[in-house]
Amino acid sequence: VTYGVKSVHSQESIPDEVMTEIIEDRLRREENEKTAEKLNSNEKTVYDVLNYEPMHIDDIMRKLASLSPSKVMVSLTKLEMADLVVSDNGKKYRRK
């Protein structure tokens, strides 16, 4: 393969920096899941709809038709403040 790209056949062939990022990401997600257990019911409902891929606010609202838009927005704001959710460009949200 050209331009310095190497195929990976085992964990040992992954550079230390990449492994460190993978481990840190896994630990952060585990910590976030523990924090999510302490959320109120609206926040938990919103958090459960989200994943690690950005989701547009309109799609979130459609999936959460049982909650008013204001409750969804308040919950998203609280989740952002708790550092559990990130707002991406274009009114998209995802788990952190």
Side-chain angles (χ1 to χ4, degrees):
V1 180
T2 60
Y3 302 111
V5 177
K6 299 177 183 177
S7 61
V8 176
H9 300 287
S10 68
Q11 181 176 339
E12 289 76 29
S13 62
I14 299 174
D16 289 340
E17 302 85 41
V18 174
M19 281 305 298
T20 299
E21 283 183 40
I22 292 169
I23 292 168
E24 287 174 353
D25 185 56
R26 182 177 294 151
L27 291 173
R28 185 182 73 249
R29 288 181 182 196
E30 288 174 3
E31 183 68 29
N32 286 352
E33 292 301 320
K34 289 178 188 175
T35 302
E37 292 173 4
K38 301 173 187 171
L39 299 173
N40 72 35
S41 63
N42 289 344
E43 294 163 0
K44 181 74 171 137
T45 300
V46 172
Y47 185 79
D48 287 345
V49 165
L50 300 173
N51 57 43
Y52 297 99
E53 295 297 320
M55 183 182 298
H56 194 274
I57 186 64
D58 292 342
D59 297 325
I60 297 169
M61 295 290 186
R62 269 192 289 279
K63 289 186 177 197
L64 296 172
S66 62
L67 292 178
S68 70
S70 62
K71 287 183 179 179
V72 172
M73 292 308 297
V74 167
S75 296
L76 283 169
T77 300
K78 288 181 177 180
L79 291 168
E80 283 185 280
M81 292 171 57
D83 208 27
L84 294 172
V85 168
V86 176
S87 173
D88 290 334
N89 291 337
K91 297 182 183 179
K92 293 183 178 181
Y93 295 85
R94 63 177 173 82
R95 289 184 181 188
K96 187 169 183 182

